[in-house]
Amino acid sequence: MTVISRIAAAAAFALLMISGTAFAQGASVAFGGLKHDASLPVEITADELNVDQATGSAVFTGNVVAGQGEMRLSAGRVQVQYATENGQVTGRIDKLIATGGVTLVNGGEAAEAQKAVYSVSGADIVMTGDVILTQGANALSGEKLTVDLTSGSGRMEGRVRTIFQTGGN
């Protein structure tokens, strides 16, 4: 990287850092690796499963890994909420609610948080609590990450902090 390129990269980074609190409070970013087909089946493995037919939910605990296509979500606990029609549970998954060391991996991107709610029918994931997103060598953190899995777009909110690798030595 030439000296001029390094100065330009440093100037761009400085401009981003002083451009105002709007950037510090929320940032829209591309999540191409998190784009996927939400119609694929969901496979879940865990140490234990408790099912409540009355409420239409199942709770997986202990080393839980939920997979759909190439996307993997791991956590200490995942509650599965099933969709209902006319007051009856359909057996179709509506939401996965993950807590306890949540990690979401898809392609070259990974995100960690305290909690994640994956709306299968809405094809979106909302991660909250000390969220860290890594995309290759770059990292982004905040309090809330919302990802639209259909478009691959997302938004990080809550005192956003980022580290950009400039490729320099």
Side-chain angles (χ1 to χ4, degrees):
M1 184 180 234
T2 67
V3 173
I4 294 174
S5 297
R6 287 182 185 174
I7 292 170
F13 182 72
L15 181 62
L16 285 173
M17 298 324 279
I18 60 173
S19 64
T21 57
F23 179 75
Q25 295 302 316
S28 295
V29 287
F31 295 98
L34 292 179
K35 185 175 178 182
H36 88 291
D37 183 356
S39 68
L40 294 172
V42 176
E43 179 182 343
I44 302 174
T45 59
D47 293 337
E48 186 175 318
L49 167 64
N50 290 301
V51 178
D52 186 341
Q53 295 291 345
T55 62
S57 71
V59 177
F60 293 86
T61 54
N63 303 307
V64 184
V65 177
Q68 186 178 38
E70 294 195 22
M71 185 173 71
R72 295 287 175 269
L73 183 137
S74 61
R77 180 181 189 273
V78 174
Q79 178 181 353
V80 178
Q81 290 183 344
Y82 293 97
T84 58
E85 288 181 14
N86 301 324
Q88 299 294 315
V89 177
T90 65
R92 190 178 73 248
I93 295 174
D94 183 41
K95 289 182 183 176
L96 298 177
I97 302 167
T99 54
V102 179
T103 302
L104 175 69
V105 177
N106 196 8
E109 297 177 333
E112 295 178 7
Q114 293 176 6
K115 180 178 180 179
V117 178
Y118 171 29
S119 173
V120 176
S121 58
D124 67 6
I125 296 176
V126 177
M127 300 182 78
T128 54
D130 301 320
V131 181
I132 299 172
L133 171 70
T134 57
Q135 295 177 303
N138 298 317
L140 186 67
S141 66
E143 284 303 310
K144 181 179 179 183
L145 170 64
T146 304
V147 180
D148 179 331
L149 294 169
T150 304
S151 68
S153 64
R155 180 165 180 82
M156 181 76 78
E157 300 174 71
R159 196 63 189 158
V160 176
R161 180 175 181 209
T162 187
I163 299 172
F164 294 109
Q165 298 299 327
T166 61
N169 292 330

